[in-house]
Amino acid sequence: MKTGQLKLQWKKIRQDTVLQNKRSKILTKYKKRLFSLFKFLILLGISYIILGPIISIVSNSFFSPTDVYNPSVFLFPLKPTFDNFRLAMLRLNYVKTLSFTVVYISLITLIQIFITSMAGYGFARFEFPFKNILFGCVIITIVLPTHTIMLPLYQHFRSFDFLGIFESARGSKLNLLSSETPMFLMTILGSGLRSGLYIYIFNQFFRGLPKEIEEAAFIDGAGMWYTYLRIMLVNAIPSVLTVTVFSLVWQYNDMFYARLFSMASDHIITFRLSTIQATIEFVDKVKDPLISQLYVYAGVILVLLPILVIYLILQKYFMEGVERSGIVG
Amino acid sequence: MAINKKIKAAKHDKLTLRHKRAIVGLLFISPWFLGFLIYYVRSLFITISFSLSKINIAESGGYTSQFIGLNNFKYALFQDANFNQLFVNSIIDILIDVPFIIFFSLFIALLLNSKFRGRGLVRAIFFLPILLGSGAVANTLLLATQNIQGGAGAVASEMSGISGVNIDYFLSIFTDLGLPDKLLDYIVDLIGRIFDIVRASSVQIIIFIAALQSVPHSLYEVSNIEGATTYETFWKVTFPMVSPLILTNVVYTIVDSFVGSLVVDTAYEAAFVNYNYGLSSAMSILSTAVVCVILVTVGTILTRKTFYYN
């Protein structure tokens, strides 16, 4: 009798637990699904916020003037044309300006990588007096807003002189403005666009590399420079890629220095883009801002295209580089 | 042979290895150091001296300066029509935006760090704003996004007219619930600015993702075995491990948003449109000083709360 009751109770408990297990399994399954749905919705929404303007720019750039005033046209033009691109290309002087810009930013990026990685390596691996204070100065260059020093920089490059050489040779000081020389000079001396940040990234990365690599190289008779160029820099490829992407993109987009040093607008394509609307309104007599805007959209796409291609190629390596390199301390 | 020569050379120079390495290290940083001295230290001193004097620009491009004390600062703060208003507004903007940008980017970094299909694509999209971040492209984009932003901002008024749904009605429900007005204003304000915030947080997302990757996996295993929920794991493991990077991100955000603010434009205009170098320098110094004060305060508060693993 008693054993029968016990058995019955035991059965009931087992059934209950089985049911409970099933229920919790289903619950967690739904929870997971709900969570991934939630995640999907959020990511979709934010992607839309980012992509929305780009989509509208792309579609607008194919609009013909009649489509602009047609209220039934939304996103898909009725009479898609390439005219906007044609004129924008002409007014941007696209091929020539772009090739100059590409050469310019590639050179700057190369110098940037070389100089900042050198400084980063110096800070990471060598002991010298006042090292911490000097590294603090690097942090200051990151934090200090650039506009604080813009006027002295402007004056410095407007009447440029080095130890009085140019004044004695030419009778007057050099005016380096409206050329790219100031940017090159500043980059070579490690004070280019966000150089401090790159020094910081390289420093963190080199500190994370094992010391044994260097010691082995040193014992094998490699000099310090050789070690740096052939061994450390090669090992730092992830952070080199990170800095490359940052430097290319930021230098390409930079307007502050381009404006400050009044670089020639037929050299810097983003700079030229900022005046395209005025040019088209003036030269081509397109007075309607709604229509002249179409050319601006086409121009924006033309300008974004090269950097977008570079970004999409490097994007994967870039993300890996960020994860492995030492942006994190 | 080569090593022998080296040893001989070292003996000849009478330098120990330590000294030698110190010299090489200094050589490595010397380009940067020169640039720092020429472009930063010198420029800072000149800016300060500009701000304390009246600058007359000569035709040839040179200038003469005349010491006038703190008059430029007084003018910028009390007499200039726009500056103090812009100044206060941009500081308030920064204080409103920063916490939200930090939380938002941490949240997105957490989402993007977990594995799911199409993660590469989503990441590529989220870092697009770096490309569109500043300069001419952003200015032109601003024109284009005005439509979208106007759309989102205009929703409230449009909806009340057409469908009978009144956003203000919902807002009044929240106020009836006892939520403070300030908080509601803050939320409404944020929604209006969601585009700017998303655009401003892509670098921060990268930094947070890198931080999340560097958290040792064993910590998660332990907390899993001990039976911690995801929520607990976040607050006990993830958050403390990521917290040093919060400071980095806060600093980056503050500096970045100040560089793009209207105060900089005003200073730029004062220098290159009105040719008032003294006033422009004074404006720059004022804004830099305020940024520094904010950074130091936030920095000291955050370092106290930060947890360092090593």
Side-chain angles (χ1 to χ4, degrees):
Chain A
M1 216 19 208
K2 269 195 169 176
T3 47
Q5 260 183 348
L6 270 178
K7 262 186 183 169
L8 221 72
Q9 258 183 342
W10 175 238
K11 232 182 179 177
K12 217 181 157 191
I13 288 169
R14 251 184 64 179
Q15 269 177 347
D16 275 1
T17 43
V18 167
L19 216 80
Q20 231 171 19
N21 276 349
K22 260 190 186 167
R23 202 187 290 157
S24 70
K25 254 185 197 167
I26 292 170
L27 256 177
T28 44
K29 208 172 140 193
Y30 274 105
K31 250 191 202 165
K32 261 187 185 167
R33 285 225 178 124
L34 212 68
F35 180 70
S36 55
L37 183 75
F38 175 68
K39 197 160 94 173
F40 175 74
L41 282 181
I42 285 183
L43 291 178
L44 191 75
I46 295 166
S47 303
Y48 174 70
I49 290 177
I50 296 168
L51 288 179
I54 300 171
I55 293 170
S56 84
I57 284 178
V58 171
S59 84
N60 268 305
S61 65
F62 289 105
F63 274 26
S64 56
T66 50
D67 285 334
V68 178
Y69 285 106
N70 188 346
S72 65
V73 172
F74 172 72
L75 224 50
F76 298 102
L78 284 178
K79 295 180 198 157
T81 69
F82 280 101
D83 277 3
N84 304 331
F85 285 97
R86 212 175 35 78
L87 192 66
M89 250 173 149
L90 183 73
R91 292 291 166 243
L92 283 175
N93 200 357
Y94 188 61
V95 178
K96 213 177 150 198
T97 320
L98 184 69
S99 43
F100 194 94
T101 312
V102 167
V103 171
Y104 163 68
I105 64 165
S106 321
L107 276 177
I108 289 273
T109 302
L110 270 180
I111 300 170
Q112 196 74 274
I113 289 169
F114 187 68
I115 297 292
T116 54
S117 66
M118 244 168 71
Y121 182 54
F123 278 117
R125 274 295 193 265
F126 297 96
E127 289 300 324
F128 43 83
F130 307 117
K131 186 172 133 176
N132 288 334
I133 295 173
L134 285 175
F135 197 67
C137 291
V138 174
I139 304 288
I140 287 176
T141 62
I142 300 174
V143 172
L144 193 76
T146 334
H147 66 275
T148 321
I149 55 167
M150 70 180 176
L151 271 175
L153 283 182
Y154 179 81
Q155 280 298 333
H156 175 76
F157 289 115
R158 173 149 193 182
S159 45
F160 180 79
D161 211 344
F162 182 69
L163 301 174
I165 293 171
F166 292 115
E167 185 149 35
S168 53
R170 291 174 71 248
S172 66
K173 287 176 179 173
L174 279 180
N175 184 355
L176 291 184
L177 293 181
S178 53
S179 73
E180 286 77 34
T181 331
M183 207 60 238
F184 278 115
L185 275 174
M186 283 184 71
T187 313
I188 287 171
L189 291 184
S191 306
L193 190 68
R194 310 209 193 197
S195 292
L197 185 66
Y198 307 147
I199 293 177
Y200 184 79
I201 291 175
F202 275 121
N203 174 55
Q204 297 290 350
F205 187 81
F206 283 130
R207 264 175 38 184
L209 283 182
K211 274 199 170 126
E212 284 77 17
I213 304 177
E214 257 177 305
E215 275 161 13
F218 195 57
I219 287 167
D220 284 345
M224 307 245 183
W225 292 96
Y226 189 88
T227 317
Y228 155 70
L229 272 177
R230 302 302 290 273
I231 291 159
M232 295 310 274
L233 207 55
V234 174
N235 273 305
I237 290 293
S239 51
V240 168
L241 274 174
T242 314
V243 170
T244 309
V245 172
F246 274 143
S247 171
L248 281 178
V249 168
W250 277 331
Q251 198 73 47
Y252 193 76
N253 262 331
D254 169 59
M255 277 286 281
F256 182 81
Y257 283 118
R259 212 160 56 137
L260 181 64
F261 299 140
S262 48
M263 291 179 192
S265 68
D266 52 341
H267 286 178
I268 310 295
I269 196 155
T270 38
F271 205 30
R272 194 168 178 122
L273 179 70
S274 60
T275 58
I276 185 176
Q277 192 162 17
T279 315
I280 281 177
E281 280 178 5
F282 184 70
V283 178
D284 298 299
K285 307 268 185 297
V286 182
K287 295 294 180 209
D288 189 339
L290 274 177
I291 292 171
S292 66
Q293 228 172 33
L294 297 179
Y295 301 108
V296 177
Y297 291 144
V300 167
I301 289 175
L302 286 174
V303 168
L304 276 183
L305 213 56
I307 200 77
L308 205 65
V309 170
I310 293 175
Y311 170 74
L312 286 181
I313 294 169
L314 291 180
Q315 190 266 128
K316 205 181 141 209
Y317 307 100
F318 168 66
M319 232 13 251
E320 282 170 15
V322 168
E323 279 164 9
R324 283 203 287 158
S325 75
I327 286 187
V328 186
Chain B
M1 267 309 273
I3 297 171
N4 271 342
K5 260 185 192 170
K6 254 185 196 163
I7 291 169
K8 264 184 198 167
K11 269 182 188 164
H12 186 72
D13 292 343
K14 289 204 174 145
L15 283 173
T16 59
L17 188 67
R18 244 183 89 219
H19 281 132
K20 236 181 155 180
R21 280 185 72 85
I23 288 170
V24 175
L26 284 172
L27 269 180
F28 269 116
I29 67 156
S30 57
W32 167 80
F33 186 61
L34 257 177
F36 178 73
L37 285 184
I38 297 174
Y39 298 122
Y40 279 90
V41 177
R42 181 173 165 275
S43 299
L44 262 183
F45 276 113
I46 294 179
T47 306
I48 291 169
S49 76
F50 271 6
S51 70
L52 294 176
S53 40
K54 184 174 166 49
I55 309 289
N56 296 309
I57 297 156
E59 289 283 310
S60 59
Y63 58 88
T64 53
S65 67
Q66 181 192 346
F67 184 78
I68 54 165
L70 290 174
N71 278 355
N72 282 321
F73 290 95
K74 277 181 199 155
Y75 184 84
L77 283 179
F78 303 116
Q79 280 173 313
D80 193 277
N82 295 322
F83 181 72
N84 52 16
Q85 200 187 351
L86 285 175
F87 193 42
V88 173
N89 278 349
S90 50
I91 291 168
I92 291 172
D93 277 0
I94 288 170
L95 292 183
I96 290 175
D97 279 353
V98 166
F100 194 71
I101 287 178
I102 297 299
F103 282 120
F104 176 77
S105 47
L106 182 57
F107 176 68
I108 295 296
L110 280 171
L111 283 187
L112 290 185
N113 198 37
S114 57
K115 282 208 171 74
F116 58 89
R117 235 182 293 160
R119 185 174 70 161
L121 180 74
V122 178
R123 277 187 179 180
I125 292 174
F126 270 74
F127 306 137
L128 266 183
I130 301 177
L131 301 186
L132 318 172
S134 60
V137 177
N139 287 342
T140 347
L141 266 181
L142 200 68
L143 284 173
T145 52
Q146 263 164 6
N147 298 325
I148 287 185
Q149 275 193 319
V155 160
S157 53
E158 274 173 23
M159 277 172 92
S160 62
I162 298 163
S163 61
V165 179
N166 196 340
I167 295 289
D168 290 334
Y169 174 70
F170 287 106
L171 283 180
S172 67
I173 289 180
F174 284 118
T175 19
D176 288 345
L177 281 175
L179 291 175
D181 281 349
K182 283 269 183 315
L183 184 71
L184 280 178
D185 283 348
Y186 180 68
I187 291 168
V188 171
D189 204 29
L190 280 178
I191 293 168
R193 274 199 261 194
I194 188 86
F195 183 78
D196 294 322
I197 287 169
V198 171
R199 220 172 45 176
S201 41
S202 44
V203 173
Q204 288 84 333
I205 294 174
I206 289 183
I207 294 176
F208 273 136
I209 287 182
L212 287 173
Q213 295 279 334
S214 72
V215 178
H217 202 70
S218 52
L219 290 180
Y220 287 117
E221 276 165 15
V222 167
S223 60
N224 201 8
I225 289 167
E226 298 283 345
T229 59
T230 326
Y231 182 78
E232 283 165 341
T233 316
F234 174 76
W235 287 108
K236 302 280 181 196
V237 178
T238 314
F239 193 73
M241 291 301 286
V242 172
S243 63
L245 268 297
I246 290 178
L247 179 64
T248 317
N249 268 338
V250 167
V251 171
Y252 182 85
T253 314
I254 291 174
V255 172
D256 201 48
S257 52
F258 219 93
V259 165
S261 72
L262 284 169
V263 174
V264 180
D265 286 345
T266 320
Y268 190 89
E269 258 174 41
F272 296 108
V273 178
N274 303 326
Y275 294 104
N276 196 339
Y277 281 18
L279 182 63
S280 168
S281 307
M283 285 173 176
S284 300
I285 285 180
L286 274 175
S287 57
T288 309
V290 170
V291 170
C292 289
V293 169
I294 294 176
L295 285 181
V296 168
T297 354
V298 174
T300 39
I301 293 170
L302 282 183
T303 16
R304 272 194 205 155
K305 305 267 175 195
T306 307
F307 166 82
Y308 286 100
Y309 185 57
N310 293 322

